[in-house]
């Protein structure tokens, strides 16, 4: 596996290839990331993963400086998964000057849920993904459903800019007890790790209650109260349309999504309902 740190070297390495398959990450990899690389491998003529902790998508009070940088271990995992190229640029190489040009997300999609609680987050995401796409020139890029709203935002950005990239979704990888795998799970203490699965259980119960005829608003409120009673600080637990993340209309395919803080760690999860 080639490990490349500059845009110029990356373009030289990819020049003979017409259909790269790409998996962008921020590193600190787990099996969920590796499953995306494995999904990408048969979709292109070379498999590229990137590791870049993107300052633009962190709010001032968030964990940019503390976010784990584990490049050597990550490279070992990627090589074992059959990745061909790891692009790990420095901040100075990817942003050689202040990034004054930025990609603004459609507020209808990007200012709800994560965008409401993390203002500017999707501007940072869209800007870095656009820039990575320009560097890699992929034919296919694979994103996980774990970050459901991000997946939808990237799909819409690609469609509206007519970018020649197919966005493929990878299923959420889960631990044996159902906890969605996340780099931030490493922040949890042992008791918090045992408790963390309650987020996905609360989403499952919410979906089951709505299916049984309970009003969506009541199921959402009860799910929030359930987590609060266990010591969580929830931002949202909600059911939305899978088409646009707005309130579901009759006949819509739906998804339940949640974000909540357990101790100092903010976790997110989602479950497609129908």
């Amino acid at each position: 596996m080639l490990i490349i740190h500059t845009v110029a070297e990356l373009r030289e390495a990819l020049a003979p290839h017409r259909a790269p398959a790409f998996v962008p990450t921020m590193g600190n990899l787990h099996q969920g990331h590796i499953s995306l690389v494995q999904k990408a491998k048969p979709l292109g003529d070379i498999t590229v993963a990137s590791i870049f902790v993107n300052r633009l998508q962190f709010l001032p009070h968030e964990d940019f400086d503390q976010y784990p940088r584990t490049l050597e271990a990550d490279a070992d995992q990627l090589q074992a998964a059959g990745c061909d190229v790891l692009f790990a640029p420095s901040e100075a190489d990817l942003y050689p000057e202040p990034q004054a040009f930025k990609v603004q997300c459609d507020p209808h999609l990007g200012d709800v849920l994560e965008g409401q609680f993390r203002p500017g987050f999707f501007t940072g995401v869209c800007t870095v993904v656009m820039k990575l796409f320009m560097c890699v020139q992929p034919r296919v890029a694979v994103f996980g459903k774990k970050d459901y709203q991000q997946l939808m935002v990237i799909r819409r950005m690609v469609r509206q800019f007519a970018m020649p990239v197919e966005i493929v979704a990878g299923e959420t990888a889960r631990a044996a007890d159902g906890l969605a795998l996340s780099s931030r799970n490493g922040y949890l203490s042992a008791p918090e790790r045992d408790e963390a699965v309650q987020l996905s259980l609360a989403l499952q119960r919410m979906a089951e209650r709505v299916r049984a005829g309970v009003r969506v608003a009541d199921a959402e409120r009860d799910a929030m109260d359930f987590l609060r009673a266990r010591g969580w600080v929830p931002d949202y637990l909600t059911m939305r349309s899978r088409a646009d993340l707005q309130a579901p209309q009759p006949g819509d395919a739906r998804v339940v999504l949640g974000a909540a803080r357990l101790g100092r760690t903010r976790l997110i999860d989602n479950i497609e309902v129908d």
Side-chain angles (χ1 to χ4, degrees):
M1 182 180 73
L2 289 174
I3 301 178
I4 292 173
H5 297 286
T6 72
V7 175
E9 291 172 323
L10 179 71
R11 288 176 171 155
E12 181 179 359
L14 296 182
H17 299 277
R18 299 182 59 84
F22 180 42
V23 180
T25 83
M26 291 207 304
N28 193 25
L29 302 183
H30 52 68
Q31 186 54 41
H33 296 109
I34 299 307
S35 70
L36 301 182
V37 173
Q38 292 167 337
K39 191 176 187 71
K41 269 196 72 66
L43 303 179
D45 62 358
I46 189 169
T47 306
V48 182
S50 66
I51 292 176
F52 181 70
V53 184
N54 178 41
R55 185 186 299 271
L56 296 185
Q57 67 195 67
F58 286 79
L59 298 183
H61 66 279
E62 292 183 333
D63 58 345
F64 175 78
D65 291 326
Q66 289 75 41
Y67 194 88
R69 276 75 166 173
T70 55
L71 181 62
E72 185 174 346
D74 292 344
D76 289 343
Q77 291 189 69
L78 289 170
Q79 183 164 3
C83 185
D84 299 306
V85 175
L86 167 57
F87 178 45
S90 69
E91 194 167 23
D93 194 74
L94 202 60
Y95 297 131
E97 58 186 70
Q99 189 68 33
F101 287 84
K102 296 178 181 178
V103 181
Q104 300 295 327
C105 180
D106 175 3
H108 185 73
L109 180 60
D111 287 356
V112 301
L113 304 175
E114 288 299 285
Q116 177 182 347
F117 289 93
R118 302 179 69 192
F121 171 70
F122 286 115
T123 296
V125 168
C126 289
T127 300
V128 76
V129 170
M130 174 78 81
K131 197 156 195 176
L132 288 168
F133 282 178
M134 295 301 292
C135 295
V136 177
Q137 299 285 300
R139 186 188 72 82
V140 174
V142 182
F143 290 81
K145 288 186 180 180
K146 161 70 165 45
D147 297 289
Y148 201 88
Q149 188 175 7
Q150 173 179 277
L151 172 65
M152 293 187 67
V153 164
I154 296 303
R155 276 180 165 160
R156 187 167 298 181
M157 180 185 76
V158 165
R159 184 173 71 245
Q160 291 205 354
F161 281 106
M163 301 175 73
V165 184
E166 178 187 358
I167 304 300
V168 173
E171 296 297 328
T172 300
R174 297 185 181 275
D177 64 355
L179 175 67
L181 299 188
S182 169
S183 297
R184 289 190 168 93
N185 291 350
Y187 297 159
L188 298 169
S189 67
E192 288 171 343
R193 169 59 187 83
D194 291 340
E195 172 65 21
V197 70
Q198 295 298 327
L199 176 59
S200 65
L201 294 176
L203 292 173
Q204 290 172 21
R205 280 192 290 268
M206 185 170 71
E208 290 165 1
R209 296 188 70 215
V210 172
R211 287 196 196 102
V214 175
R215 292 177 62 247
V216 171
D218 293 338
E220 291 174 344
R221 184 195 63 241
D222 292 346
M224 296 271 282
D225 290 344
F226 169 79
L227 286 186
R228 287 193 187 103
R230 300 184 67 91
W232 293 69
V233 181
D235 286 341
Y236 59 83
L237 283 89
T238 186
M239 176 174 280
R240 298 295 175 97
S241 167
R242 282 161 54 182
D244 58 8
L245 295 184
Q246 301 302 303
Q249 302 302 312
D252 281 355
R254 297 168 294 177
V255 58
V256 289
L257 309 102
R261 193 171 300 278
L262 180 60
R264 299 176 62 183
T265 306
R266 186 176 185 272
L267 301 176
I268 66 172
D269 201 354
N270 66 83
I271 300 169
E272 292 179 329
V273 177
D274 45 23

